[in-house]
Amino acid sequence: MAAEETSATLRQRNAKAPMSQAEEDASPASNEEHIDSAGGLIQWRRHMEDVKAELLEQIQGQLSDLLEKVISESVQSYSQHSKPPANSNETEATSRKQRLSSEQGKVFLERRSLLDELFEIDHIRTIYHIFIAMLCVFIISTVAVDFIDQGRLVLEFDLLFYAFGRFSTAVFAWLCMCSYTLVVPYKALCLWGGHYHSVRFQGGFTFVVGSLVLACQACVLGVYPIYVVVRYKLPPASSFIVILEQIRFMMKSYSFIRENVPKIMKAKLNQGEAAKLPEFSSYLYFLFCPTLIYRDAYPRNPCIRWKYVALNFAQILGCLFYGYFILVRLCIPVFTNMSKEPFSTKTMVLTLFHATLPGTFVLLLCFFAFLHCWLNAFAEMLRFADRMFYKDWWNSTSFANYYRTWNVVVHDWLYSYAYKDFLWLCGGRFRGAAMLLVFITSAVVHEYVLTLCLGYFYPVMFCLFAICGGVFNFALNDKRKGAVWNVLMWTCLFIGQGIQMCLYCQEWYAQIHCPAKEKGFWEFITPRSWSCRL
C-alpha cells in the first residue's frame, strides 16, 4: 500500500511540473503588463489630483468673491435700515455710488477666439470652405465676363487702387497721431501725478493740466484728422484708416487717464513718498494691444505662432478681394445708371431687396476681417492672451444681446466709461437713460465715420442705429428666447443691411452724376439722390 501511494504521489507531481514551468515562463510578461498598468493608473491618479486641486482653487476663489459681495451688500442694507428715514434717498444714492465705484471692471483671462474653436469642428469648417468656394465663383464669373466683353482676361482691380489712393498721406497722418498719443498723455499724467500730492491747490492744478491736455487732444486728435481727410480728399479706404485710428487713439488715451487718475488721487502717501506711476512700457504695450481698457498687465501667451499671424493677414487680403468682387459683380452694375431712370416705388423696393445679399456679405466680411483676423493677428504678435473680441452674436434672440456680443472690445469701453460713469453720476438710477445715451453716442460716432469717409451726409446709419436699433433693443430684450426670435433678428439684420447698401450706393452715384452747384451747409446735408434725375 505504501509503495502504491508513493508512486501515485510521484505521478501527480510529474503532471503538475509542466504547468508550473509554463506559469514561470509566462510570469515576466504578466509582471511587465501589471507594472505598466499600475504606472498608468498612478499617472492618471496624479493628473486627476491636479485637476481636483485646480478646480477647488477656482471654486474657492469664486466662493470667496461671492461671500465678500454678499457680506458687503448685507452691511449696506443693514446700514440703510438702521439710519433715519429722513435721509433715506440720500443714503440710497450714496450706496448706489459706492456699489458702482467698488464694482470690479473688465477682467482679462486667457481664452481663444470663438471662431478658432469652432473651426476645429469639421462641420463648421465646411461653412468656411463654402465661402471660399463662393469667392472662387466670383473670380471665375468676373474673368468670364471680361473675356466675353473684351476678348481678353482683365483683372485690373482699379476699384481697390482707387479706394486706397493717397495712402502715403494717410500713413503720415497716422504717424503724427501715434507720436502725439505716445508722448503727450503719458507725460501729462506723470507731470500731474508727480506733483498732485505736493501742491497746495490740488483742484486748480488738476483743472489747468486737464484743460491743457483737453486742448491738445482737440487739436491733434480732433481737428487734424478731419483736416487731412477733407483737405486732401482722401478716398474711402484711406479715410477709414485715418478716422478709425483717430477714434482708437482717443478711446485709448481716455482709458489710460481714466484708469490711473483715481488711483493717484486715492493713494495714501507718507512724508516724502512719491506716487506710483504707470510704466511707459505698459502704456506702449496698451497702445497696440487689441483692447480699449487699460491695465498695468495682461495675460500673455508664452510664444508667437508666426504661421497663425501670416494666415490671418492672408485672410484679411482675401476679404479685401471678396469685397471687391461683391461690389463689382452685385452693386456697381445695379446702381451706376439708377439715377438716369425715372423713380418708381417698384424699382426702389426691388433694388432694396437686391442689395440685401451684398449688404449682408459686406457685414460678415467686415466682422471676419477686422474683429477676428486683424485683432487676432495683433494679439498673436503681442502674445495677448485674451482673445474674446466677440461672442456668439449669431445666436442672439434679441437686439440687446446682439449689440453686447457683436463687438466686445468697443462694448467694454462704452459699458465702463459711458454707461457705468453715467449711472455713478446719477446715483445708480436712470438705467434706461444710460442705455439710451450709449446708443445715441454709438450711432453718432458711426455716422461721423461714414460721413467723413464717404464724403457726404446721409444719416441712414444713424436712423437705423439710434431709432430702429433703440426701439428693437427695448422691445426685443433678453426675455425673448427661442428660434423664432433668432430668425426675426436675422431678418431685421438682412433688411437693415439692404437699406444701407441701397441708399448709400444711390447717394454715391447721385453725388457723381449731379454735383453740387454751390458749396454750403444746406447743400452738404441735403441728400442728392432725392432730386438727381438725368
Side-chain angles (χ1 to χ4, degrees):
M1 294 290 294
E4 291 177 359
E5 290 177 0
T6 302
S7 61
T9 303
L10 290 173
R11 285 194 300 269
Q12 291 177 359
R13 287 178 181 176
N14 292 331
K16 291 180 180 180
M19 296 179 59
S20 62
Q21 185 67 30
E23 290 177 356
E24 289 178 1
D25 294 338
S27 61
S30 61
N31 289 336
E32 290 179 0
E33 292 178 358
H34 179 70
I35 291 171
D36 292 340
S37 61
L41 287 174
I42 291 172
Q43 292 179 358
W44 178 252
R45 183 179 182 84
R46 289 177 181 173
H47 173 69
M48 294 304 296
E49 288 177 354
D50 293 339
V51 173
K52 174 185 174 183
E54 185 178 354
L55 286 174
L56 288 175
E57 184 179 356
Q58 293 179 358
I59 293 172
Q60 184 179 1
Q62 293 177 358
L63 285 176
S64 177
D65 295 340
L66 181 62
L67 289 174
E68 288 180 0
K69 184 177 179 181
V70 170
I71 292 172
S72 63
E73 289 180 355
S74 62
V75 170
Q76 290 174 2
S77 63
Y78 176 78
S79 62
Q80 291 176 8
H81 290 296
S82 61
K83 289 184 179 180
N87 298 327
S88 59
N89 293 332
E90 297 180 1
T91 304
E92 185 178 357
T94 304
S95 65
R96 286 200 196 101
K97 281 192 174 184
Q98 291 176 352
R99 249 192 335 266
L100 288 169
S101 60
S102 62
E103 183 179 343
Q104 192 176 18
K106 168 77 174 180
V107 178
F108 292 90
L109 304 172
E110 184 176 348
R111 48 195 168 185
R112 300 170 62 194
S113 288
L114 187 56
L115 283 183
D116 284 338
E117 295 179 350
L118 292 176
F119 283 158
E120 294 179 354
I121 304 172
D122 292 337
H123 303 290
I124 303 298
R125 192 161 186 83
T126 300
I127 300 176
Y128 173 77
H129 295 160
I130 291 173
F131 275 90
I132 297 177
M134 294 175 68
L135 174 60
C136 295
V137 171
F138 276 123
I139 296 174
I140 294 171
S141 65
T142 304
V143 170
V145 169
D146 290 340
F147 186 79
I148 293 171
D149 290 343
Q150 303 184 22
R152 61 188 180 92
L153 299 180
V154 179
L155 287 176
E156 295 179 349
F157 301 111
D158 51 345
L159 183 61
L160 284 178
F161 286 110
Y162 163 74
F164 286 94
R166 298 183 179 271
F167 188 71
S168 59
T169 305
V171 172
F172 179 78
W174 181 86
L175 288 174
C176 293
M177 291 188 294
C178 182
S179 301
Y180 164 82
T181 310
L182 194 63
V183 176
V184 175
Y186 180 79
K187 290 298 182 181
L189 181 72
C190 291
L191 174 66
W192 174 83
H195 297 85
Y196 175 76
H197 292 280
S198 59
V199 297
R200 183 176 180 181
F201 300 102
Q202 295 178 339
F205 178 66
T206 302
F207 176 78
V208 171
V209 176
S211 300
L212 291 175
V213 173
L214 187 61
C216 294
Q217 292 280 100
C219 292
V220 181
L221 294 183
V223 177
Y224 174 69
I226 300 175
Y227 171 79
V228 171
V229 170
V230 176
R231 170 68 177 79
Y232 295 99
K233 297 180 180 180
L234 296 184
S238 299
S239 299
F240 270 110
I241 293 173
V242 175
I243 299 302
L244 291 180
E245 285 298 283
Q246 171 202 22
I247 296 171
R248 184 178 74 91
F249 284 132
M250 292 180 70
M251 296 172 78
K252 281 193 176 265
S253 58
Y254 180 85
S255 175
F256 174 71
I257 295 173
R258 172 66 177 79
E259 293 290 338
N260 285 286
V261 166
K263 295 179 184 178
I264 297 173
M265 294 180 68
K266 295 178 182 178
K268 297 180 180 179
L269 305 178
N270 298 324
Q271 187 68 26
E273 185 181 1
K276 185 179 179 181
L277 300 174
E279 297 181 359
F280 180 73
S281 59
S282 300
Y283 179 60
L284 178 63
Y285 182 84
F286 167 65
L287 278 186
F288 293 97
C289 71
T291 181
L292 298 173
I293 307 296
Y294 175 80
R295 295 290 182 268
D296 293 327
Y298 300 93
R300 307 281 291 273
N301 289 329
C303 61
I304 301 175
R305 299 171 296 170
W306 290 108
K307 289 184 178 179
Y308 181 77
V309 174
L311 175 64
N312 279 297
F313 281 122
Q315 290 179 142
I316 294 170
L317 188 62
C319 289
L320 285 177
F321 285 107
Y322 215 137
Y324 166 79
F325 285 113
I326 287 173
L327 293 176
V328 168
R329 302 304 306 160
L330 300 180
C331 293
I332 293 178
V334 176
F335 295 102
T336 302
N337 299 318
M338 191 170 181
S339 298
K340 301 177 182 179
E341 300 175 357
F343 176 81
S344 66
T345 305
K346 177 182 177 181
T347 304
M348 185 68 183
V349 172
L350 291 177
T351 307
L352 189 150
F353 282 103
H354 176 85
T356 299
L357 179 61
T360 305
F361 266 118
V362 170
L363 175 73
L364 296 177
L365 287 174
C366 291
F367 160 74
F368 183 73
F370 179 72
L371 291 176
H372 180 74
C373 298
W374 183 264
L375 296 183
N376 270 294
F378 274 86
E380 187 67 31
M381 288 189 292
L382 295 172
R383 297 191 294 114
F384 186 78
D386 194 340
R387 311 288 177 87
M388 195 182 70
F389 308 125
Y390 53 88
K391 297 179 182 178
D392 57 336
W393 57 269
W394 48 85
N395 291 328
S396 299
T397 56
S398 66
F399 275 88
N401 185 69
Y402 168 75
Y403 289 131
R404 287 194 302 267
T405 55
W406 160 260
N407 188 343
V408 175
V409 179
V410 175
H411 171 265
D412 289 338
W413 193 93
L414 290 172
Y415 177 77
S416 299
Y417 305 129
Y419 181 79
K420 284 176 61 176
D421 285 359
F422 181 85
L423 288 181
W424 184 83
L425 290 173
C426 297
R429 296 172 294 180
F430 310 115
R431 293 184 179 272
M435 190 179 299
L436 185 62
L437 172 68
V438 171
F439 261 93
I440 294 176
T441 303
S442 183
V444 168
V445 172
H446 280 78
E447 192 59 45
Y448 161 79
V449 172
L450 288 178
T451 298
L452 284 176
C453 295
L454 296 179
Y456 55 82
F457 177 74
Y458 199 12
V460 179
M461 171 70 81
F462 179 82
C463 294
L464 291 177
F465 202 122
I467 300 175
C468 300
V471 171
F472 282 133
N473 179 70
F474 289 100
L476 302 179
N477 49 37
D478 292 330
K479 296 180 181 179
R480 313 293 184 181
K481 302 293 182 181
V484 175
W485 299 105
N486 181 250
V487 172
L488 180 61
M489 190 274 296
W490 273 105
T491 304
C492 295
L493 202 61
F494 287 158
I495 295 175
Q497 291 304 120
I499 292 173
Q500 292 183 65
M501 180 63 72
C502 176
L503 296 182
Y504 279 123
C505 287
Q506 283 184 359
E507 183 65 20
W508 176 270
Y509 284 105
Q511 294 279 336
I512 296 174
H513 296 150
C514 303
K517 298 179 181 179
E518 298 178 359
K519 291 184 178 180
F521 176 74
W522 293 110
E523 289 288 335
F524 178 73
I525 66 172
T526 303
R528 207 69 46 78
S529 57
W530 292 1
S531 58
C532 181
R533 290 293 175 268
L534 299 177

